[in-house]
Amino acid sequence: MTLASSLRENKAVYAVAGAGDFAVEKLREVPEQVTRYQGRAREAASKYQGEVRETVERYRGEVRKTVDRYRDEVGRVQERVDAKDLPGAAVAYVTHVGTRTVEFIDELTERGKRVVHREAAEVAAIAEADAEAAPKARTAQPKKAPQARSAKKSGA
């Protein structure tokens, strides 16, 4: 098995190629999004600056009252939580994250396969075009080399 064929059959290679293609796609969108959101952010900042100051002052007192009220309720809820339930919840969470990770890696792998095969097809087309052009270039050149040699021999 050659190195190229073993790389073609390797899921990690396709996943990396897919991740790279995905990253390039998202990075190409960044300048447009920055320009679009920059103007909106400036407008919103100037529009809401005064309103934010007033709202902060108004809600500061309300937050203090709410924090004091819920402090007691949090203590009561903590007493009701059973420590025996936590490992089961952690296992369920980790299983879900693992499943989602595998799905994402599979998506990147499929994307990478498309990228690799697209690039391989382009390389093959370029190589084929070069191979066809090379014999034509050789036959189209006039044979000046033998004439130059005969001139050197007669001149010497």
Side-chain angles (χ1 to χ4, degrees), residues 126-145:
I126 291 170
E128 186 177 309
D130 287 346
E132 290 176 0
K136 292 179 185 175
R138 288 184 191 144
T139 57
Q141 293 177 352
K143 295 185 178 183
K144 294 182 182 178

Side-chain angles (χ1 to χ4, degrees), residues 113-129:
K113 283 181 183 178
R114 288 192 303 269
V115 169
V116 169
H117 292 300
R118 180 183 65 222
E119 293 299 321
E122 288 179 14
V123 168
I126 291 170
E128 186 177 309

Side-chain angles (χ1 to χ4, degrees), residues 30-52:
V30 168
E32 176 186 325
Q33 291 176 353
V34 166
T35 305
R36 183 177 351 133
Y37 292 125
Q38 192 174 24
R40 288 183 189 172
R42 284 186 184 132
E43 292 172 9
S46 62
K47 179 180 178 184
Y48 295 115
Q49 192 171 13
E51 292 178 28
V52 168

Side-chain angles (χ1 to χ4, degrees), residues 65-79:
K65 292 176 190 174
T66 305
V67 166
D68 292 338
R69 187 176 70 211
Y70 285 114
R71 238 181 224 144
D72 295 331
E73 289 183 31
V74 167
R76 282 182 261 146
V77 169
Q78 284 178 339
E79 292 170 3

Side-chain angles (χ1 to χ4, degrees), residues 16-28 104 108 111 115:
V16 169
D21 185 56
F22 183 70
V24 167
E25 176 184 315
K26 293 304 172 188
L27 286 173
R28 285 185 178 149
F104 184 65
L108 289 177
R111 185 181 188 123
V115 169

Side-chain angles (χ1 to χ4, degrees), residues 53-115:
R53 286 186 184 130
E54 294 171 8
T55 305
V56 165
E57 293 301 322
R58 187 174 66 224
Y59 287 117
R60 189 172 280 155
E62 290 181 30
V63 167
R64 286 186 183 125
K65 292 176 190 174
T66 305
V67 166
D68 292 338
R69 187 176 70 211
Y70 285 114
R71 238 181 224 144
D72 295 331
E73 289 183 31
V74 167
R76 282 182 261 146
V77 169
Q78 284 178 339
E79 292 170 3
R80 284 188 270 160
V81 172
D82 190 7
K84 294 176 184 176
D85 296 338
L86 294 177
V91 167
Y93 179 75
V94 169
T95 302
H96 177 70
V97 169
T99 303
R100 296 278 301 171
T101 302
V102 168
E103 290 172 358
F104 184 65
I105 289 174
D106 287 343
E107 289 174 15
L108 289 177
T109 300
E110 289 303 314
R111 185 181 188 123
K113 283 181 183 178
R114 288 192 303 269
V115 169

